[in-house]
Amino acid sequence: MNIFLQFYKSLFSPKDIALFRHQGIGKTILYVFFLTLLSALPTVFYSGSAIINGLNAIDETIDSNLPDFEIAEGQLHTEEEVPVTLNKNNFTIIIDSTGAVDPSVLSESGNTIALLKNEVYILAEGQEQTYPYTLLTSGTLTKNDLSDFLASAESLMPIIIPLIAIVIYIFAAGIRFIEISLLALAGLFIKKALAKKLEYRHLWRMSAYSITLPAIFFTIMTALQTAVQNGAIINWFVSLIILLLSIKEVPSHSSK
């Protein structure tokens, strides 16, 4: 059975998921990378859009509208005693060296770029990104330096965006493998309660396919920019239910 048919079957068939315990670990790992690729696509797209739109918005306002500032030793310094807020191209740009602006409040706003006291915050198309200044520079960065940097960064976008996509993908894959491993551990208790002769390696393979339905659901929600309340709980609950149903499909006398 090819990987695409496995993906289709994993969306609704615990019986097929139970059968996948027989396959080699290499094919299961390949499936996890495939599922991770699908689920990471919306995040990659919106993150790339956020960075490009954010650079464009700042570049158009930095010379004429932004107050003079300096980033030194990981902190933003300006002569402004209150936060400065500007609106440009459907983006809200905030300069705040006072520490008065709370990033958690910004998550409820529209497209936003905020140079805060210790970090830069970007919210675009529902995707949040936060970068401490220490990650961006180890020295001093002024308004003019930022203008020059943006000019260079815009020309490097065809390189930067793929690199960001790779980082997001690797991080997402790591989270998937941890999730599957924990789910398989829970499966040990389930198989014991159901008196099924399964080993951890079998449960790991089954867990890799059991997460398909919730993974695709949350991928669609991310693509639609729709927040899901208690998403982590729903994700684990659905995955456990599918794993439970899959374990029940395994004959009690068989471990292979």
Short mmCIF file of all heavy atoms in Angstrom, two decimals, residues 1 28 85 171 203 218-220 239:
data_model
loop_
_atom_site.label_atom_id
_atom_site.label_comp_id
_atom_site.label_asym_id
_atom_site.label_seq_id
_atom_site.Cartn_x
_atom_site.Cartn_y
_atom_site.Cartn_z
N MET A 1 0.85 -1.19 0.00
CA MET A 1 0.00 0.00 0.00
C MET A 1 0.89 1.24 0.00
O MET A 1 1.78 1.37 0.84
CB MET A 1 -0.91 0.01 1.24
CG MET A 1 -1.94 1.13 1.23
SD MET A 1 -3.01 1.13 2.70
CE MET A 1 -3.84 -0.45 2.53
N THR A 28 7.18 3.84 8.01
CA THR A 28 6.40 4.61 8.99
C THR A 28 7.03 5.98 9.22
O THR A 28 6.34 6.99 9.28
CB THR A 28 6.31 3.86 10.32
OG1 THR A 28 5.77 2.55 10.09
CG2 THR A 28 5.41 4.60 11.31
N THR A 85 2.58 54.63 17.54
CA THR A 85 1.80 53.72 16.71
C THR A 85 1.54 54.35 15.35
O THR A 85 1.07 55.49 15.25
CB THR A 85 0.46 53.37 17.38
OG1 THR A 85 0.71 52.78 18.66
CG2 THR A 85 -0.34 52.39 16.53
N PHE A 171 11.41 21.62 13.03
CA PHE A 171 10.83 21.76 14.37
C PHE A 171 9.51 20.99 14.46
O PHE A 171 9.26 20.27 15.43
CB PHE A 171 10.59 23.24 14.67
CG PHE A 171 9.97 23.50 16.00
CD1 PHE A 171 10.71 23.43 17.17
CD2 PHE A 171 8.61 23.81 16.11
CE1 PHE A 171 10.13 23.66 18.41
CE2 PHE A 171 8.02 24.04 17.33
CZ PHE A 171 8.79 23.96 18.49
N LEU A 203 2.95 -0.45 18.59
CA LEU A 203 2.13 0.69 19.01
C LEU A 203 2.66 2.00 18.42
O LEU A 203 1.88 2.89 18.10
CB LEU A 203 2.09 0.76 20.53
CG LEU A 203 1.34 -0.39 21.22
CD1 LEU A 203 1.64 -0.41 22.71
CD2 LEU A 203 -0.16 -0.26 20.97
N PHE A 218 -6.47 20.10 12.20
CA PHE A 218 -5.83 21.33 12.67
C PHE A 218 -5.07 22.03 11.54
O PHE A 218 -4.90 23.26 11.57
CB PHE A 218 -4.90 21.04 13.85
CG PHE A 218 -5.64 20.81 15.13
CD1 PHE A 218 -5.80 19.53 15.65
CD2 PHE A 218 -6.22 21.86 15.81
CE1 PHE A 218 -6.51 19.30 16.82
CE2 PHE A 218 -6.93 21.66 16.99
CZ PHE A 218 -7.08 20.38 17.49
N THR A 219 -4.63 21.28 10.54
CA THR A 219 -4.03 21.90 9.36
C THR A 219 -5.06 22.74 8.62
O THR A 219 -4.77 23.88 8.20
CB THR A 219 -3.46 20.82 8.41
OG1 THR A 219 -2.44 20.08 9.09
CG2 THR A 219 -2.87 21.46 7.16
N ILE A 220 -6.25 22.20 8.47
CA ILE A 220 -7.32 22.94 7.80
C ILE A 220 -7.71 24.18 8.61
O ILE A 220 -7.91 25.27 8.06
CB ILE A 220 -8.55 22.04 7.60
CG1 ILE A 220 -8.22 20.91 6.61
CG2 ILE A 220 -9.76 22.84 7.09
CD1 ILE A 220 -9.30 19.87 6.48
N SER A 239 -6.70 11.43 18.99
CA SER A 239 -5.63 10.48 18.69
C SER A 239 -5.73 9.23 19.56
O SER A 239 -5.55 8.10 19.07
CB SER A 239 -4.26 11.15 18.90
OG SER A 239 -4.08 12.25 18.03
#
